[in-house]
């Protein structure tokens, strides 16, 4: 069923599906990278955790009628998705100031951003994924004004749904990154992954960082942290 390798990224491998040209298999790796690949390590079990957490999140988004590439988890480390052409934008939604925003604009960490702030980054490793504006995006990412409006409306809806989902797990969704892709008919849907690698999550009770910042800043055990996220999401499975 799993066909040949199409692409290998920093966190996942992408395979064709034999006989199903409209689908792909994403295989989550144990590698962790940060600062555009300058910091690297491997953690046994990380691929499984990000695969299962992403699956849980995309299933929840599907129930809330958010269109995405996700079809289903195949096993612990692999999921099957609809093939899309990725729009080369990293769409970041921020509810609380942290990370690059605090460094770039000297906005103090923990400043509440209401309404949430949307930022676009051009997905290009050689350029270190630079921050861009809408006009740049239209030029570089082959999107129209209408596409951008659609992406931003979807991004804000996803943010509201996930804020609620994580709150039920005693986690504050500080910020997160999304990628969108086009199906064969041109429709834009949510793609890639949403996991503790691509979100900032702070424990509501203790304020502890519960995401890839534990690796970026060497402040905790990545596997233990991601395992806690999965467990808390599973415990709240029936809560709407
Ligand atoms: P930033 O504060 O470094 O700009 O990151 C904002 C959010 O986006 C944070 O939750 C981490 C996520 N992110 C990724 O998933 N991939 C990336 O390459 C970057 C830079 C950020
Ligand atoms: N994900 C990016 C990288 O692997 C950057 C980061 O998360 O800090 O380089």
């Amino acid at each position: 069923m799993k066909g040949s390798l199409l692409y290998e990224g920093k966190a996942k491998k992408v395979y064709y599906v034999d006989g199903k040209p409209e689908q792909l298999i994403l295989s989550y790796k144990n590698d962790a990278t940060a600062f555009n690949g300058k910091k690297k390590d491997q953690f046994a079990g990380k691929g499984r955790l990000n695969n299962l957490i992403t699956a849980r999140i995309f299933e929840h988004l599907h129930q809330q009628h958010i269109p995405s590439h996700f079809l289903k988890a195949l096993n612990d480390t692999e999921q099957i998705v609809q093939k899309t052409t990725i729009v080369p934008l990293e769409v970041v939604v921020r509810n609380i100031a942290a990370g690059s925003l605090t460094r770039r604009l000297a906005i103090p960490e923990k400043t509440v951003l209401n309404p949430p702030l949307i930022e676009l980054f051009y997905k290009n490793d050689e350029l270190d994924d630079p921050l861009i504006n809408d006009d740049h995006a239209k030029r570089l990412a082959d999107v129209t004004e209408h596409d951008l409006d659609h992406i931003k409306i979807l991004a804000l809806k996803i943010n509201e749904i996930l804020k609620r989902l994580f709150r039920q797990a005693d986690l504050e969704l500080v910020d997160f990154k999304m990628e969108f892709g086009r199906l064969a008919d041109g429709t834009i849907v949510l793609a890639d992954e949403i996991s503790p690698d691509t979100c900032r999550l702070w424990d509501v009770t203790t304020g502890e960082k519960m995401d890839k910042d534990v690796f970026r800043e060497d402040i905790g055990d990545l596997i233990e942290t991601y395992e806690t996220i999965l467990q808390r999401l599973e415990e709240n499975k029936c809560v709407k």
Side-chain angles (χ1 to χ4, degrees):
M1 177 173 193
K2 191 154 103 183
S4 55
L5 181 72
L6 166 63
Y7 172 79
E8 176 161 1
K10 285 183 286 196
K12 296 185 282 301
K13 289 183 184 173
V14 183
Y15 293 90
Y16 288 107
V17 180
D18 283 338
K20 299 224 166 134
E22 74 289 1
Q23 297 184 352
L24 294 172
I25 290 173
L26 304 186
S27 175
Y28 283 70
K29 306 198 297 185
N30 287 336
D31 302 67
T33 67
F35 313 115
N36 203 20
K38 286 179 208 78
K39 179 169 173 150
K40 279 188 216 168
D41 210 337
Q42 283 217 335
F43 297 91
K46 174 175 177 285
R48 169 183 168 269
L49 289 164
N50 278 349
N51 178 47
L52 298 182
I53 292 168
T54 295
R56 166 79 183 101
I57 289 174
F58 276 67
E59 278 160 12
H60 182 73
L61 290 171
H62 176 73
Q63 285 164 9
Q64 308 291 317
H65 312 293
I66 297 294
S68 84
H69 74 160
F70 182 78
L71 294 170
K72 63 173 186 180
L74 285 178
N75 54 47
D76 267 4
T77 55
E78 294 177 321
Q79 54 187 241
I80 191 152
V81 301
Q82 287 182 281
K83 187 173 192 297
T84 64
T85 307
I86 292 289
V87 176
L89 295 175
E90 301 207 339
V91 180
V92 170
V93 176
R94 300 180 185 272
N95 297 303
I96 301 177
S100 70
L101 181 69
T102 61
R103 294 191 292 273
R104 196 179 336 110
L105 297 174
I107 297 174
E109 190 178 74
K110 300 194 178 139
T111 305
V112 173
L113 305 164
N114 189 16
L117 191 76
I118 301 183
E119 290 181 336
L120 301 179
F121 296 86
Y122 180 38
K123 199 172 143 63
N124 183 316
D125 277 343
E126 272 158 44
L127 299 178
D128 259 357
D129 298 348
L131 177 73
I132 57 170
N133 70 21
D134 287 20
D135 283 345
H136 296 127
K138 281 187 249 170
R139 192 175 172 98
L140 295 169
D142 195 25
V143 284
T144 62
E145 182 101 35
H146 177 265
D147 291 335
L148 277 180
D149 287 346
H150 179 61
I151 285 173
K152 288 185 195 172
I153 289 167
L154 268 177
L156 290 175
K157 259 196 213 163
I158 293 165
N159 180 48
E160 289 309 314
I161 295 168
L162 295 189
K163 262 197 327 199
R164 217 176 320 129
L165 181 74
F166 283 121
R167 247 333 152 71
Q168 287 157 359
D170 207 33
L171 294 163
E172 193 70 46
L173 178 60
V174 172
D175 58 33
F176 69 117
K177 184 264 300 182
M178 281 159 278
E179 293 182 27
F180 292 86
R182 282 184 203 277
L183 297 173
D185 69 358
T187 313
I188 291 179
V189 299
L190 178 67
D192 196 52
E193 68 178 285
I194 298 184
S195 71
D197 268 12
T198 64
C199 298
R200 278 198 176 87
L201 299 164
W202 292 350
D203 187 289
V204 171
T205 312
T206 65
E208 232 180 312
K209 294 179 180 178
M210 304 280 291
D211 54 62
K212 200 163 88 175
D213 275 347
V214 301
F215 168 67
R216 291 192 191 93
E217 300 173 13
D218 286 316
I219 50 171
D221 185 312
L222 180 138
I223 293 298
E224 235 172 65
T225 304
Y226 286 23
E227 191 73 66
T228 304
I229 304 284
L230 179 62
Q231 272 171 19
R232 289 198 198 172
L233 288 173
E234 288 299 326
E235 279 162 17
N236 284 286
K237 214 162 185 170
C238 301
V239 186
K240 281 278 137 60

